Amino acid sequence: MASFKKSFEGLKGSTQSAAKGVTEHAVQAAQETVQQVAESSKETTDIAATEASRQTHVVIGTAADKATDTIKEFGQKLGTK
C-alpha cells in the first residue's frame, strides 16, 4: 500500500508539473498573440493616419489652387473696369 501511495504521489507531482508547464506555455503564447495584435493595430493606425494626412494635403492644395484662381479672376475683372 505504501508503494502504491508513493507511486500515486509521484504521478500527482508529474501531472502538476506538466499542467504548470502547459499553463505557462499557454500564457506565453497568449502574451505573444496580444503583442502581435497590438503591433498590427499600431501599423494599421499609422497607415490610416498617413493616408488621411496625404488626402488632407491634396484637398488643401486643391482648395488653395481654386482660391488663387478666383483671386486672379477677381483681380482681372477689377483691372478691366
Side-chain angles (χ1 to χ4, degrees):
M1 188 66 159
S3 66
F4 177 75
K5 185 176 180 182
K6 187 176 181 181
S7 294
F8 180 76
E9 290 297 323
L11 178 61
K12 181 179 169 186
S14 296
T15 303
Q16 287 174 341
S17 268
K20 182 180 178 187
V22 169
T23 302
E24 288 174 353
H25 182 73
V27 167
Q28 182 181 1
Q31 288 172 335
E32 289 172 1
T33 300
V34 167
Q35 182 65 31
Q36 289 173 352
V37 168
E39 288 172 7
S40 177
S41 178
K42 183 183 181 305
E43 289 173 14
T44 301
T45 301
D46 289 347
I47 291 168
T50 300
E51 180 60 18
S53 177
R54 186 193 69 76
Q55 290 180 10
T56 300
H57 282 94
V58 169
V59 168
I60 290 171
T62 302
D65 291 344
K66 287 182 180 180
T68 300
D69 291 345
T70 301
I71 292 168
K72 284 180 184 176
E73 289 173 13
F74 182 71
Q76 289 172 353
K77 288 179 183 177
L78 284 179
T80 59
K81 287 187 176 183

